[in-house]
Amino acid sequence: MSQSVSSAATTAGVGVQAAKRRTFAVISHPDAGKSTMTEALALHARVIGQAGAVHGKGDRRGVVSDWMAMEQERGISVTSAALQFSYRDTVINLLDTPGHADFSEDTYRVITAVDSAVMLLDAAKGLEPQTLKLFEVCRQRGIPVITFINKWDRPGNDALALMDEIEQRIGLKPTPLTWPVGIAGHFHGVIDRRTGVFTRMQRSPGGADLAIEEDMTVEEAAERFGADWTTATEELELLEMTGADHDQEAFLAATTTPVLFGAAVANLGVRQLLNVLVELAPPATARPTTAGTDQPVDAPFSGFVFKIQANMNKAHRDQVAFMRVCSGKFERGMVVTHGGTGKPFTTKYAQQIFGQGRDTIDEAFPGDVVGLVNATALGIGDTLYAGRPVRYPALPSFPPEHFAAVRTDDTSAYKRFRRGIEQLDAEGVIQVLRSEQRGDGTPVFAAVGPMQFEVATHRLEAEFGVRVKLEFLPYEIAAVTDAAGREMLRGESNVEVMTRVRDDALLAVFQHRWRMRTVAGRHPGLRLDGVLDAGLS
């Protein structure tokens, strides 16, 4: 790892340290350039020497945050990564998230651990379905959003048209902080609306280093770029007439979104985004608890687990629980209380994660993310605290829509098969169900999206040496029921009641919503609760 931030933290008060933290996620539709942006930000903070690309070719490396072999082979992000680094006396906690829609559940959990988000839009495609879904979660949680219009070095939409789309489709008033000179695909640089300074931007040779930037006077820019400069200045006048100026209170209230333009793959406009994150994004602040109160950052230590990941590195065949520190000072080795059981928990093995790299961490403050190693007693959504009891709300989960029975023909690998299934279930990679008619030897995978099956089978083979076969089941909807409901449904065709291994909840699965309604109509009093309301975590 290039540097360790938390170990260098001063002895200043917790409130001072919390004010230095900026914890955010990058959200976008697949292929909008999210992982590339993650690495570009790390490059600008000087924690890596050279950027790779998600779709690396030849001798170009894959991004630091895409550590899983499957991600590097296919150029997609299917896990969440946590990167921490310093920039301008600020500690940046950047949580990269899966871009693929099939991994929405993991992404939603990460969003609960951040204080702001960067919404990445493809200049040619604008607001896409997955971006809209993720933005809705940000809206529900009141998370301020900064918008970055990416890929301005390629042909795309008109800048003003994109502003209209943002306002009309998601109801946020865009307040551009930078404005492009040159249409998409013919990018010269940006004007900083707050200072009036024009910065010319050029891709570095090979594109793997920082962009070449040059500040130019108005006269120089007008002479150099002619009609493109004139168009940009006319558009700026229009923005001023419509009152599209940044208002910090409105941004923090999540009613407006600052907008910047650039191209992450060429590192254009990335420095400006990093500066805006430091200057405008909110620091760690008090967080709501299940008691209906807010936990102040300077209260005794508390935090919650938002992700569990095993086997991140072949040199570290272990399990890491990612914990967001919400209040107080975390110190490695401290004995805290597990909110769910009330039992003591010792934080002996605490680490700072940077992609695949890891360093021992001795202390952390609100906003920081700590990796607790081999914390097998922890589950997703668990609260840890010192002093007075505190509990944070359960993390969001989603109803599975795809189901498959999983088995292995290799009897000698059965123990590894069971161990692998248990690990994937603990991480929330996939929901594991137990079926009466198939027996314990053939668990059922339940997934939000079909690619989760691919990841699960890949990891079983790569990490546990077990090849499995999937038998896809004809179900597409699930609801929580009870023991009485299980008895009512025993005689129904094309309906099963399975037990979710994670918490022993009973899930009734149906071929489709129409079938569920028909069956429910025949059984008054049948309990069928939506999975979203079942308190999954």
Side-chain angles (χ1 to χ4, degrees), residues 445-469:
F445 282 168
V448 174
M451 190 175 284
Q452 287 179 263
F453 294 131
E454 190 174 345
V455 170
T457 56
H458 173 89
R459 290 190 59 188
L460 283 171
E461 182 172 357
E463 298 172 22
F464 297 92
V466 181
R467 289 193 176 188
V468 298
K469 295 180 179 179

Side-chain angles (χ1 to χ4, degrees), residues 204-221:
S204 65
D209 208 340
L210 299 182
I212 300 169
E213 296 187 358
E214 175 191 5
D215 289 345
M216 301 178 68
T217 65
V218 170
E219 293 75 19
E220 291 172 332

Side-chain angles (χ1 to χ4, degrees), residues 275-308:
N275 287 333
V276 165
L277 283 163
V278 169
E279 296 163 8
L280 303 181
T285 55
R287 294 181 70 87
T289 69
T290 56
T293 58
D294 289 344
Q295 179 81 345
V297 293
D298 58 357
F301 164 77
S302 68
F304 68 90
V305 176
F306 65 90
K307 177 180 177 60
I308 292 175

